[in-house]
Amino acid sequence: AQSVTQLDSHVSVSEGTPVLLRCNYSSSYSPSLFWYVQHPNKGLQLLLKYTSAATLVKGINGFEAEFKKSETSFHLTKPSAHMSDAAEYFCVVTRYSGAGSYQLTFGKGTKLSVIP
Amino acid sequence: GAGVSQSPSNKVTEKGKDVELRCDPISGHTALYWYRQSLGQGLEFLIYFQGNSAPDKSGLPSDRFSAERTGGSVSTLTIQRTQQEDSAVYLCASSLVGVGRESTDTQYFGPGTRLTVL
């Protein structure tokens, strides 16, 4: 079984300050991990993904995430928040479950607000 | 088009009516997923299609829900006798499934259909 816990349902930061969105996972297998972003009334957009090639993953829009196996964490960070970063962010763990099937588990999401 | 498209973007219906939601995946993508996003519930997996294999229906919440995928491309999610608790955003995603146990597959999502059952 696998699970994803996003530790904060809502994070508020000032424009220009760092962003930290926390994600912990549980998986019996070596997982692949993703962060998706969803802007209001828009679909989910892939920010970045971890596939065991490197523990520090760089994504779009200046975001990055570090896979820490010892802490079972995959926190999302950005050095300086921009107003356009205000959105909901989802941490996702996925594993191949055979016969071409992928099991995905989504976290409940973290809503990021950016204060001018 | 380059991305996953869904129609309609919004659907308002009365309790008890049937609705059909459509998804056009990215051309060439063999895997197609349906999810439901409800307020306070996060994203919930509904059903998965891969090529010509039997779909994985393990996430469908009741027998009022069904889905088809014709010709390995377009998919339709049907909800019969809609209830107010069916109100949600229904998201479709597609992916190009690799061969073997490499679980690096990325899903590309459509904009969703917002369903409101009155």
Side-chain angles (χ1 to χ4, degrees), chain A residues 26-41:
Chain A
S26 169
S27 178
S28 304
Y29 299 86
S30 296
S32 287
L33 293 154
F34 298 74
W35 276 97
Y36 281 86
V37 60
Q38 187 176 36
H39 287 91
N41 300 314

Side-chain angles (χ1 to χ4, degrees), chain A residues 30-32 34 36 38 41-44 46 49 51 88 90 94-96 99-102 104 106-108, chain B residues 33 35 37 40-43 48 50 56 91 97-98 100-111 114:
Chain A
S30 296
S32 287
F34 298 74
Y36 281 86
Q38 187 176 36
N41 300 314
K42 297 286 179 72
L44 287 158
L46 178 68
K49 64 179 180 180
T51 59
E88 190 157 19
F90 293 91
T94 178
R95 71 172 180 87
Y96 183 73
S101 174
Y102 289 82
L104 259 69
F106 282 79
K108 291 194 179 297
Chain B
Y33 302 77
Y35 297 88
Q37 187 176 26
Q41 297 294 321
L43 264 96
Y48 161 73
Q50 161 55 6
D56 176 357
L91 292 167
V97 176
R101 299 186 60 81
E102 180 58 55
S103 62
T104 60
D105 202 35
T106 301
Q107 295 187 15
Y108 298 89
F109 284 80
R114 182 175 296 278

Side-chain angles (χ1 to χ4, degrees), chain A residues 21-116:
Chain A
L21 305 182
R22 298 182 294 167
C23 172
N24 284 97
Y25 71 92
S26 169
S27 178
S28 304
Y29 299 86
S30 296
S32 287
L33 293 154
F34 298 74
W35 276 97
Y36 281 86
V37 60
Q38 187 176 36
H39 287 91
N41 300 314
K42 297 286 179 72
L44 287 158
Q45 181 185 16
L46 178 68
L47 268 183
L48 51 81
K49 64 179 180 180
Y50 164 75
T51 59
S52 76
T55 56
L56 183 62
V57 184
K58 294 188 183 298
I60 62 171
N61 301 335
F63 283 93
E64 60 183 37
E66 187 172 8
F67 174 73
K68 291 186 176 179
K69 188 174 181 178
S70 60
E71 300 176 9
T72 59
S73 69
F74 191 57
H75 301 333
L76 183 70
T77 60
K78 183 173 180 178
S80 176
H82 192 272
M83 294 298 295
S84 61
D85 295 328
E88 190 157 19
Y89 293 78
F90 293 91
C91 183
V92 181
V93 60
T94 178
R95 71 172 180 87
Y96 183 73
S97 51
S101 174
Y102 289 82
Q103 182 177 346
L104 259 69
T105 304
F106 282 79
K108 291 194 179 297
T110 298
K111 189 162 292 188
L112 176 66
S113 298
V114 181
I115 304 165

Side-chain angles (χ1 to χ4, degrees), chain B residues 25-41:
Chain B
I26 293 172
S27 177
H29 278 192
T30 54
L32 186 149
Y33 302 77
W34 282 99
Y35 297 88
R36 177 167 70 175
Q37 187 176 26
S38 307
L39 195 63
Q41 297 294 321

Side-chain angles (χ1 to χ4, degrees), chain B:
Chain B
V4 178
S5 60
Q6 292 185 245
S7 61
S9 54
N10 277 285
K11 177 71 177 179
V12 180
T13 190
E14 293 178 349
K15 179 181 171 181
K17 294 281 179 71
D18 297 352
V19 295
E20 283 189 355
L21 312 180
R22 177 187 167 106
C23 172
D24 280 275
I26 293 172
S27 177
H29 278 192
T30 54
L32 186 149
Y33 302 77
W34 282 99
Y35 297 88
R36 177 167 70 175
Q37 187 176 26
S38 307
L39 195 63
Q41 297 294 321
L43 264 96
E44 175 189 10
F45 165 77
L46 296 177
I47 187 169
Y48 161 73
F49 295 90
Q50 161 55 6
N52 296 320
S53 302
D56 176 357
K57 303 179 182 180
S58 58
L60 294 179
S62 79
D63 59 8
R64 296 186 296 105
F65 287 72
S66 62
E68 288 185 342
R69 190 178 185 194
T70 53
S73 181
V74 172
S75 177
T76 302
L77 177 70
T78 302
I79 309 173
Q80 295 177 308
R81 306 181 302 281
T82 52
Q83 304 293 312
Q84 287 183 332
E85 61 262 28
D86 299 334
S87 296
V89 176
Y90 289 82
L91 292 167
C92 175
S94 71
S95 65
L96 186 64
V97 176
V99 176
R101 299 186 60 81
E102 180 58 55
S103 62
T104 60
D105 202 35
T106 301
Q107 295 187 15
Y108 298 89
F109 284 80
T113 294
R114 182 175 296 278
L115 175 66
T116 303
V117 182
L118 302 176

